[in-house]
Amino acid sequence: MNTNQPVHTFHIPVMGLAYTIDSPIRVAHYGISSVISIIDDELIEKIHSFYSKKLHLNYEGISTKIHDYRAERITAYLNMVDDVVKQKFEAFKQELTESKEALDHYIAMLPNKSELKKGLQQLIEGGIEFKDTIKNYLETHLSPGNIDVNIMTKVDKDNFIKNDPLPVTFKDAHASLRGFANSKLSSGVVLSAGMNPRLYSYFEHFKDFFPDSNGDLKKKIILKVSDFRSAMIQGNFLAKKGLWVSEYRIESGLNCGGHAFATDGYLLGPIMEEFKKKKEQLIQSAHELMVKALTQKEMSVPEKPLELKITVQGGVGTSEEHEFLLEYYQVDAVGWGSPFLLVPEATSVDVATRNLLAKSKEDDFYISQISPLGVPFNTVKGTTNETLKINRIAQNKAGSSCPKKLLALSKEFSEQGICTASRKYQDIKLEELEAIKNQLSAAEFDKKKTKITDKSCLCVGLANASYLENDIKIKGEAQGVVICPGPNLAYFDKEVTLFDMVQHIYGNTSVLDKNNRPNMFINELKMYVDYLKNEVEEVSNEISSAQIKKLQSFKNNLLHGIAYYVTLFTETKFFKTDFVKIQNQLHEYKNIILNIEIPQLEIA
């Protein structure tokens, strides 16, 4: 019987559409959990075909002419990934029983405080009959990493056959959920980008999300959240339907990869403190609501609350930060995202893009407005997508041909939705802008034009790196590669092996050069201060009292966060080497914030 305790204290979060599309195949046999984005069925079908050829597996392509092709493609791919991971895991266990060198190498990868590591070391030191004993121990204690999936809840557009709308269950995120629910995986679905009540209600259609007679869940719900209030609201909403949230994955609003959902000035430290203090409240509230709902549905009711994990991610870069989060905030695991973009064994990135990431410095990583979702998006200067986009704008051919339409969410000009990065949309907006050109200054005109043409085709750009890496033919208009690393990647400057990155996480080596990398909390604070300054600068003359109140609240929350950190860094045993530097930085940012003047209403 497998005890199924997680082998590692970190996981690899979802990155883009393709960067972690096959990460479980690459790393799950080592016990490392990772997350696949399942919103792009075309990409999934191509990667399924690629691996089927590579591993000589039976494969029958799923045509877009099939009634429920989107969900069926996702189910088929996830089932294939599950099969491959299980085969690799069995082969890996066999290798560990037969090769002392392989076993020593694997033991070195395990967390230093791991019971699995201690147990294996004791067996070797005890000189017991090696092969059978090790084999039995591995069977009992070793488990593969989770093959989790991600659905960005906002990517849920209506779909049509010609001009006829399909039922709600054929919306993108709904179909993705169905694809996962129908798969044989026993893992979790990470829901990101906020609450989608209609999608959340759809979970009730699938029995795998409800506890069985033993109180076990075959499939789990994981919510990516940025504060406690959001976790409580979403968790209780699902609990009222008899559904349990098994994990809250807390992510820094700005110090993260991909879309940046800024909080109202709440910093990660105070947010984590609230989760630490109120975890029991989260559990009890959801348990009571879930019991009531399951009783009404006449389903199995667990005797006690189910397991609830708290994990955290965003900007973590050193073993000390990793250990601090585990120990002080008592989290169950820490997400390490962007640094793994430099690990070819773990993520799908083409050589040119990986080289770009390795050589990029602090000033090259920035929060952009390139996402058609209208949400700030972390990216890096110098991508091939950026070059191609600039050339098209110069030739008066702004916008993308929009082949996938995953983000065709704007209903401004069509009931079927148009993507704001599409040529169709940008042509209309540029024509409207040209009509009022005489009413604007040159600077105002350029600013408005940039706002229209800055949007990038994420559907294609975020998939291309995987196609390039695996030599899969890219059809259609060239879009290059869009990549969405967090700013923390500025301090990682070379390609790294999986072994070395894991050793770095656990403090046995360092892949960082001796450089001036700020503490993760200071990094996030700087980003929020810059964000506030920018928000204040962007304020128009017609500011409302609600806007003023929001900006003032943002400023106060930052000051509260700094006061929290001053005490935290004084009392904790961690970060003593940089204690004086950190305190000086906190003092410096406090003064900057105090000097930011929030606009006031003008009294006529």
Side-chain angles (χ1 to χ4, degrees), residues 68 113 161 177 208 212 229 270 309 461 511 514:
D68 196 17
K113 296 176 183 176
I161 292 180
L177 175 58
D208 281 3
D212 62 18
R229 182 174 172 272
K309 291 184 175 181
V511 301
K514 298 286 180 195

Side-chain angles (χ1 to χ4, degrees), residues 194-410:
M195 191 164 163
N196 178 340
R198 189 178 271 175
L199 179 68
Y200 284 17
S201 299
Y202 191 44
F203 276 83
E204 291 182 83
H205 291 260
F206 307 103
K207 64 178 177 56
D208 281 3
F209 292 106
F210 291 99
D212 62 18
S213 54
N214 298 318
D216 294 326
L217 294 164
K218 183 172 184 190
K219 290 186 170 69
K220 296 178 178 179
I221 298 171
I222 300 168
L223 291 187
K224 194 190 280 189
V225 293
S226 55
D227 60 53
F228 183 83
R229 182 174 172 272
S230 170
M232 182 67 93
I233 290 168
Q234 293 184 71
N236 285 349
F237 181 90
L238 288 160
K240 286 174 185 172
K241 300 177 183 302
L243 298 160
W244 183 256
V245 176
S246 296
E247 180 186 333
Y248 289 97
R249 195 159 278 193
I250 304 148
E251 183 172 65
S252 165
L254 289 179
N255 198 10
C256 61
H259 287 92
F261 294 90
T263 65
D264 288 336
Y266 295 108
L267 299 171
L268 189 61
I271 289 167
M272 294 306 302
E273 188 72 45
E274 189 171 11
F275 273 94
K276 179 181 172 181
K277 286 177 178 170
K278 296 181 179 176
K279 182 179 177 181
E280 206 52 45
Q281 184 182 327
L282 208 56
I283 292 169
Q284 288 306 322
S285 172
H287 178 67
E288 286 166 19
L289 291 168
M290 186 179 79
V291 166
K292 190 175 174 183
L294 291 174
T295 303
Q296 287 172 346
K297 289 175 188 272
E298 299 182 347
M299 298 175 81
S300 296
V301 179
E303 291 177 16
K304 59 179 194 279
L306 303 180
E307 181 184 47
L308 186 147
K309 291 184 175 181
I310 304 288
T311 63
V312 61
Q313 59 198 43
V316 187
T318 67
S319 59
E320 188 174 24
E321 290 171 354
H322 180 85
E323 193 61 33
F324 170 76
L325 292 166
L326 290 171
E327 192 175 306
Y328 184 79
Y329 292 119
Q330 293 157 26
V331 297
D332 295 281
V334 177
W336 283 66
S338 298
F340 274 100
L341 292 170
L342 293 175
V343 182
E345 293 154 271
T347 53
S348 187
V349 186
D350 63 289
V351 173
T353 303
R354 194 171 267 127
N355 289 340
L356 172 69
L357 295 176
K359 72 177 190 336
S360 296
K361 305 300 179 194
E362 280 178 89
D363 290 346
D364 296 313
F365 295 89
Y366 68 106
I367 293 178
S368 72
Q369 297 302 321
I370 68 172
S371 171
L373 286 175
V375 178
F377 188 77
N378 279 297
T379 190
V380 63
K381 295 174 186 172
T383 62
T384 47
N385 174 271
E386 184 184 354
T387 305
L388 288 165
K389 185 172 67 176
I390 290 167
N391 289 342
R392 276 202 304 272
I393 294 167
Q395 294 165 16
N396 292 319
K397 294 179 183 176
S400 156
S401 58
C402 198
K404 295 188 183 181
K405 297 181 169 52
L406 290 173
L407 299 180
L409 301 170
S410 170

